[in-house]
């Protein structure tokens, strides 16, 4: 057992480490945001050819930037926000980049560049400090900034603000009002002060309501009216004289309340301008700009230098307070800024070979018309328009070009990670197949001589690669660390060569297949079908349809196999086939029920959207009927779950299970005294765990004497706790998925057992394979039944705050993970529990003898299950990493392929943790019984 555990642990560690290296190489942290800018001269131009220019004077002494988190474009209408809609000097639409989460969007607004996709991970943890931004430029010019709102700003700019009022519980999504009220209270104090020039307000309540109650909640519209009142208070105040207010959102909100993906509702936010000098503009259309355009525009309005990293263009509608001469100056300044970045990005040869010289001609023409306009004493409208249009043409073209070149991959890390993950996956798959098809029961062991040879070769390859500039290292430690994955890859490569030699050597390997049915090939073909479907962006977006097809097909195939064997026996016996068909259908009614459950669960949620029936129904009677329907599903689910847990617990333990599930009902439906309800629930779970562990460690005393019974008890305890916690975290209507999943798995295993018992040509290893594959397929199917998808916006954050009064990243992250991946986790745990409770004594005598040399102990069965599960899990991920590199220039790389990469890596992590915890129990109870 030790050799088996060591092998699987090392190979999974190598694969998971290689996957992390791939993510670091494919999604590097943007260097242009945090490390450059401060040392670059980027001041305003003072001359145009031989014509001297003067920097325009400021039109507003103080500027207020008000961010409404998750404020999407269609929210800013006349019904929801009547004052803002009517009084705005200008109203435009802003398109944001993905990922549509807060921290990357704040970087974009303050730096004017497109943040990297890896920022979505940084959004949940510590945030890098920026060294060049609007706030740094303002500080350099002696302009002071005050802030109130989301604490993310404090992580990005820890030492910038003159005064700050950060909401320290920004991630606590149950806070709808208190944080926003504190911001508004601080606004009232700051408006009367004159010692600041830039104020930033970041309201979070709208985003929190969306996460918890969805985009159709009545609280959404109450919050929009509250924000409208804040705008009204600021812009109509007597203290608003000579001030400017910009109101926008960091990102939008998809239908359902979440964000992070690429839906239209997430990508478009409004931007409104309010001033005491302008008249509200009646526009027949709403102009559209990019979010990066806010940065240079704000720099102009604040009278500061444009940050070096900015690649945005000016928003012309916000320059109407300036004269034409001043507007041309700003267009000229922004165009020069972008041209300078263009020259730093491309060499002269690249500019010539890629036909990029047109930008210089456009700039020269704009400068010429600009000069003519100045020489005509600002009287030539034709020169003004020509200069303006050419400046904007240059700026927009270069901005788009620079935006396309911001994505930089670390090819060294990508190559090393691909070699490591591919070899690790091949090594695991080959060894698993050898375990199944050969007579050998030995898992590979690590050879010290080969380890030493791999280390020497890795050092040599690393040195040669650096000498030939094939690998670029920023420092020695980085170079030394690269030696480790290179060495592991070399070792795996040598071992794979040795395995292939064994496969084609008759002395050491029997190539005779022991399985002549089509089941094996159907299983592999299904797995390969899903794996290679990941090469299509449409199949990634609609991956749930793949599992909705494959899993039920496999269930139907399994049922037909059972049905065929029974009918064939009856036919050979000469009995009445019709009566037997009716009898078989009645005996298999539980399988029919399992298939009906699959149909019901598929219709319960539309994948990618939360269950929004109540919010979408306008009729009061229909709303009440729908609520009764949902409540009925919830109560039925809890009763079915209690009935299911009867198989894992004694009567005494089952009482506590019932109490815990009753607390789940009270927490979701009662809404009062939640602290006491949740405390009772957690105490019930603790009591269940105590009773199980007491029986093992205290009553039996020697917990190694009855290994299987102890492990069954322990596994039943852990399974019970996980299932009840999942019910607590799930949305009420989704709780039914938990007992439905367990029932579907149980019926599937029963069909596998029946098939194995009745068909003598089904060997034990393939019977186990069928159970493993059916578990994976059903687990993934129910994962999507829950409403999950490959879009980051469908991650439900609300379960992370069950029972919390403040943000705790460890607890919140654990709850969100358990809720999101509950179906795969429960499926794996139930499979392991099932394997513990399955006895070889139930096998036919002739098959026991024929398999004696194949699987000698229960230990082999369990590790074969885990190795099969691991191989089927890592194979699609290894292929996907290769596909991702091939599609790195695909149009949907960041909207479709990149989010899937994070899901795949996290899926590997969840299985990796499951594997480690499982083997801890194996070792604790000395499963080898030596």
């Amino acid at each position: 057992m030790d050799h088996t555990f060591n092998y699987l642990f090392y190979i999974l560690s190598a694969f998971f480490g290689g996957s992390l290296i791939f993510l670091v190489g494919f999604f590097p942290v943007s260097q242009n945001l945090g490390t450059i800018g401060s040392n670059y001269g980027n001041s305003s131009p003072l001359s145009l050819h031989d014509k001297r220019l003067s920097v325009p004077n400021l039109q507003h002494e103080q500027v207020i930037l008000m961010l409404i988190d998750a404020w999407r474009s269609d929210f800013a209408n006349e019904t929801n926000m009547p004052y803002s809609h009517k009084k705005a000097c200008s109203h435009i639409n802003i398109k944001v980049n993905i990922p549509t989460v807060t921290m990357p969007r704040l970087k974009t607004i303050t730096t004017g560049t497109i943040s990297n996709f890896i920022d979505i991970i940084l959004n949940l943890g510590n945030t890098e400090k920026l060294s060049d931004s609007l706030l740094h430029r303002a500080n350099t010019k002696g302009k002071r900034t005050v802030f109130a709102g989301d604490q993310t700003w404090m992580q990005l700019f820890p030492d910038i603000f003159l005064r700050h009022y950060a909401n320290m519980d920004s991630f606590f999504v149950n806070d709808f009002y208190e944080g926003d009220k504190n911001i508004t209270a601080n606004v009232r104090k700051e408006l009367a002060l004159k010692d600041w020039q830039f104020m930033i307000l970041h309201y979070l309540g709208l985003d929190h309501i969306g996460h918890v109650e969805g985009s159709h909640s009545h609280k959404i519209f109450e919050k929009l009216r509250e924000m409208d009142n804040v705008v009204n208070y600021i812009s109509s105040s007597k203290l608003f004289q000579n001030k400017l207010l910009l109101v926008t959102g960091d990102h939008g909100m998809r239908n359902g309340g979440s964000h992070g993906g690429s839906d239209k509702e997430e990508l478009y936010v409004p931007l409104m301008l309010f001033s005491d000098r302008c008249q509200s503009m009646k526009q027949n259309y709403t102009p559209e700009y990019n979010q990066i355009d806010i940065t240079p525009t704000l720099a102009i309005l604040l009278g500061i230098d444009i940050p070096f990293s900015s690649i945005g263009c000016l928003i012309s509608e916000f320059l109407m307070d300036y004269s034409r001469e001043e507007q041309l100056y700003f267009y000229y300044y922004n165009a020069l800024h972008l041209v300078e970045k263009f020259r730093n990005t491309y060499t002269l040869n690249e500019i010539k070979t890629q036909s990029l010289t047109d930008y210089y001609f456009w700039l020269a023409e704009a400068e010429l018309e600009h000069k003519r306009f100045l020489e005509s004493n600002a009287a030539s409208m034709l020169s003004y328009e020509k200069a303006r249009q050419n400046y904007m043409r240059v700026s927009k073209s270069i901005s788009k070009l620079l935006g396309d070149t911001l994505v930089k991959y670390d090819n060294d890390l990508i190559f090393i990670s691909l070699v490591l993950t591919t070899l690790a996956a091949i090594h695991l798959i080959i060894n698993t197949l050898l375990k199944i098809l050969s007579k050998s029961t030995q898992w590979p062991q690590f050879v010290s001589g080969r380890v030493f040879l791999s280390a020497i070769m890795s050092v040599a390859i690393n040195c040669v690669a650096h000498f030939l500039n094939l690998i670029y290292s920023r420092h020695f430690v980085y170079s030394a660390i690269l030696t480790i994955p290179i060495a592991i890859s070399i070792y795996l490569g040598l071992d794979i060569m040795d395995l292939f030699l064994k496969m084609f050597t008759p002395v050491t390997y029997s190539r005779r297949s022991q399985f002549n049915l089509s089941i094996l090939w159907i299983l592999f073909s299904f797995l390969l079908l899903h794996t290679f479907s990941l090469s299509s962006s449409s199949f990634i977006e609609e991956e749930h349809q793949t599992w909705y097809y494959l899993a039920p097909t496999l269930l139907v195939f399994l049922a037909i196999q059972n049905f065929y064997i029974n009918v064939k026996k009856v036919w050979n016996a000469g009995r009445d086939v019709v009566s037997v068909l009716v009898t078989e259908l009645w005996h298999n009614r539980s399988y029919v029920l399992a298939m009906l459950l699959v149909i019901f669960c598929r219709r319960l949620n539309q994948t990618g959207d939360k269950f929004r029936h109540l919010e979408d129904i306008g009729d009061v009677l229909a709303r009440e009927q729908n609520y009764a329907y949902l409540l009925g599903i919830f109560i039925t689910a809890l009763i079915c779950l209690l009935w299911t847990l009867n198989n894992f617990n004694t009567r005494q333990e089952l009482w506590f299970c019932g109490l815990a599930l009753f607390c789940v009902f009270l927490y979701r439906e009662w809404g009062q005294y939640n602290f006491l309800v949740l405390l009772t629930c957690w105490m019930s779970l603790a009591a269940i765990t105590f009773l199980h562990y007491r029986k093992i460690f205290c009553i039996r005393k020697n917990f190694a004497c009855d290994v299987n019974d102890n492990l069954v008890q322990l596994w039943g305890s852990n399974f019970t706790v996980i299932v009840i916690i999942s019910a607590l975290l799930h949305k009420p209507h989704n709780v039914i998925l938990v007992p439905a999943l367990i029932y579907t798995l149980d019926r599937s295993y029963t069909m596998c057992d029946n098939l194995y018992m009745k068909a003598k040509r089904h060997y034990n290893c393939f019977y186990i394979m069928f159970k493993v594959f059916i578990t994976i397929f059903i687990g993934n199917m129910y994962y999507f039944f829950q409403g999950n998808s490959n879009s980051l916006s469908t991650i439900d954050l609300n379960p992370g705050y069950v029972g919390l009064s403040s943000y705790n990243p460890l607890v919140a992250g654990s709850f969100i993970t358990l809720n999101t991946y509950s179906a795969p986790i429960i499926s794996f745990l139930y499979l392991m529990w099932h394997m513990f409770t399955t006895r070889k004594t139930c096998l036919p005598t002739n098959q026991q003898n024929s398999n004696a040399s194949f699987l000698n102990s229960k230990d082999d069965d369990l590790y074969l299950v885990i190795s099969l599960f691991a191989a089927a899990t890592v194979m699609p991920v290894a292929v996907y990493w290769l596909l991702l590199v091939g599609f790195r220039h695909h149009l949907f790389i960041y909207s479709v392929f990149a989010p899937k990469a994070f899901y795949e890596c996290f899926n590997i992590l969840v299985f990796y943790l499951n594997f480690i915890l499982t083997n801890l129990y194996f070792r604790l109870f000395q499963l080898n019984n030596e």
Side-chain angles (χ1 to χ4, degrees), residues 350-458:
E350 289 176 329
I351 292 174
K352 291 180 179 179
T353 55
Q354 298 183 35
S355 302
L356 302 178
T357 55
D358 290 342
Y359 301 132
Y360 291 102
F361 292 111
W362 297 341
L363 180 62
E365 185 177 353
E367 290 176 343
L368 179 62
E369 295 296 337
H370 188 180
K371 183 178 179 182
R372 288 176 180 173
F373 176 78
L374 295 177
E375 290 175 346
S376 66
N377 295 322
S380 175
M381 285 296 299
L382 180 60
S383 295
Y384 164 76
E385 281 298 329
K386 284 185 177 180
R388 175 177 172 273
Q389 292 296 333
N390 276 291
Y391 280 141
M392 293 176 63
R393 184 183 185 185
V394 171
S395 299
K396 290 182 179 179
S397 300
I398 295 181
S399 175
K400 185 178 184 305
L401 187 65
L402 292 174
D404 294 338
T405 60
L406 278 179
V407 179
K408 296 181 180 180
Y409 304 104
D410 194 327
N411 294 318
D412 305 337
L413 293 183
I414 291 176
F415 177 77
I416 293 173
S417 65
L418 287 180
V419 173
L420 179 57
T421 54
T422 303
L423 291 177
I426 293 174
H427 198 279
L428 177 59
I429 292 170
I430 292 177
N431 275 287
T432 303
L433 291 177
L434 283 175
K435 180 72 173 178
I436 294 172
L437 299 176
S438 72
K439 295 181 180 180
S440 172
T441 60
Q442 294 296 323
W443 290 91
Q445 301 180 29
F446 290 94
V447 182
S448 58
R450 192 174 297 168
V451 172
F452 180 74
L453 177 61
S454 301
I456 297 298
M457 292 178 64
S458 66

Side-chain angles (χ1 to χ4, degrees), residues 77-93:
N77 56 41
E78 188 174 4
T79 302
N80 298 332
M81 305 182 73
Y83 177 86
S84 301
H85 187 271
K86 180 179 180 181
K87 297 295 184 179
C89 302
S90 184
H91 181 185
I92 67 175
N93 275 341

Side-chain angles (χ1 to χ4, degrees), residues 384-580:
Y384 164 76
E385 281 298 329
K386 284 185 177 180
R388 175 177 172 273
Q389 292 296 333
N390 276 291
Y391 280 141
M392 293 176 63
R393 184 183 185 185
V394 171
S395 299
K396 290 182 179 179
S397 300
I398 295 181
S399 175
K400 185 178 184 305
L401 187 65
L402 292 174
D404 294 338
T405 60
L406 278 179
V407 179
K408 296 181 180 180
Y409 304 104
D410 194 327
N411 294 318
D412 305 337
L413 293 183
I414 291 176
F415 177 77
I416 293 173
S417 65
L418 287 180
V419 173
L420 179 57
T421 54
T422 303
L423 291 177
I426 293 174
H427 198 279
L428 177 59
I429 292 170
I430 292 177
N431 275 287
T432 303
L433 291 177
L434 283 175
K435 180 72 173 178
I436 294 172
L437 299 176
S438 72
K439 295 181 180 180
S440 172
T441 60
Q442 294 296 323
W443 290 91
Q445 301 180 29
F446 290 94
V447 182
S448 58
R450 192 174 297 168
V451 172
F452 180 74
L453 177 61
S454 301
I456 297 298
M457 292 178 64
S458 66
V459 173
I461 291 175
N462 201 358
C463 293
V464 172
H466 278 83
F467 179 77
L468 297 177
N469 292 324
L470 298 177
I471 295 180
Y472 170 73
S473 295
R474 286 172 283 276
H475 44 73
F476 175 78
V477 175
Y478 176 84
S479 175
I481 292 176
L482 287 182
T483 306
I484 299 175
I486 294 174
I488 297 174
S489 300
I490 294 173
Y491 181 91
L492 292 174
L494 294 174
D495 214 25
I496 289 173
M497 293 175 59
D498 183 57
L499 288 173
F500 273 111
L501 289 176
K502 290 181 179 179
M503 290 176 64
F504 294 100
T505 303
V507 176
T508 59
Y509 175 67
S510 175
R511 287 174 286 172
R512 182 176 64 86
S513 176
Q514 301 180 6
F515 191 62
N516 54 7
L517 293 181
S518 59
I519 295 179
L520 174 63
W521 309 115
I522 289 177
L523 293 175
F524 275 111
S525 63
F526 275 25
L527 185 62
L528 290 174
L529 178 63
H530 164 257
T531 299
F532 289 104
S533 71
L534 300 177
S535 62
S536 168
S537 61
S538 297
F539 276 110
I540 292 177
E541 288 182 294
E542 304 294 327
E543 186 184 355
H544 54 282
Q545 301 291 357
T546 304
W547 293 111
Y548 291 172
Y549 171 77
L550 294 180
T553 302
L554 199 57
L555 288 173
V556 171
F557 176 79
L558 184 59
I560 291 176
Q561 286 282 328
N562 277 268
F563 191 73
Y564 170 75
I565 293 174
N566 293 335
V567 173
K568 186 177 180 180
K569 289 182 178 180
V570 171
W571 179 270
N572 294 333
R575 294 171 57 189
D576 182 15
V577 177
V578 176
S579 62
V580 171

Side-chain angles (χ1 to χ4, degrees), residues 65 75 103 138 166 257 288 338 352 473 549 603 685 763 802 805:
L65 174 63
F75 282 166
M103 195 268 283
E288 181 180 313
L338 292 173
K352 291 180 179 179
S473 295
Y549 171 77
R603 296 179 179 275
L685 293 177
Y763 293 93
V802 170
S805 58

Side-chain angles (χ1 to χ4, degrees), residues 50-108:
D50 58 346
K51 196 77 174 178
R52 186 169 183 82
L53 300 177
S54 58
V55 179
N57 296 322
L58 280 178
Q59 297 295 319
H60 305 277
E61 294 179 355
Q62 295 174 309
V63 176
I64 303 172
L65 174 63
M66 177 177 169
L67 283 173
I68 304 176
D69 210 297
W71 190 40
R72 73 188 197 192
S73 290
D74 60 334
F75 282 166
N77 56 41
E78 188 174 4
T79 302
N80 298 332
M81 305 182 73
Y83 177 86
S84 301
H85 187 271
K86 180 179 180 181
K87 297 295 184 179
C89 302
S90 184
H91 181 185
I92 67 175
N93 275 341
I94 294 292
K95 183 178 181 180
V96 307
N97 298 100
I98 53 177
T100 50
V101 293
T102 297
M103 195 268 283
R105 304 281 56 81
L106 299 187
K107 285 185 175 182
T108 295

